[in-house]
Amino acid sequence: EGLVQVDAEQTVEFVNDRFCEMTGYCRDELIGKANFHEIFLDEEGKRLVAEANEERRKGLSGHYEVRLKRKDGEVLWMIVGGAPIINADGEVIGTM
């Protein structure tokens, strides 16, 4: 499974090797990038991610299917499962 962790501002903090293999991007191209999903998504995908991010900010997990564009331009369908990262004070500080 490809894994991505972002902070509350949607800046990439972590990606695993599998996510890099799936998308064609290396870790250095993604770590520290804000709103990284915009390089992968069409307008429908951006809308789905925005809605999902609102749910994460409320502390809710969820799943959705999205079409990504790999670095080489190939289309990749992906099922995304997002879960909020919550600190000891109960604040949502990111998403995995």
Side-chain angles (χ1 to χ4, degrees), residues 25-44:
Y25 288 88
C26 70
R27 188 173 276 120
D28 291 341
E29 292 175 291
L30 299 173
I31 299 291
K33 183 145 181 77
N35 296 312
F36 81 101
H37 56 273
E38 295 198 3
I39 64 174
F40 299 111
L41 302 174
D42 58 15
E43 291 307 311
E44 175 67 11

Side-chain angles (χ1 to χ4, degrees), residues 17-28:
D17 290 338
R18 182 66 183 125
F19 186 83
C20 293
E21 291 168 11
M22 292 165 57
T23 63
Y25 288 88
C26 70
R27 188 173 276 120
D28 291 341

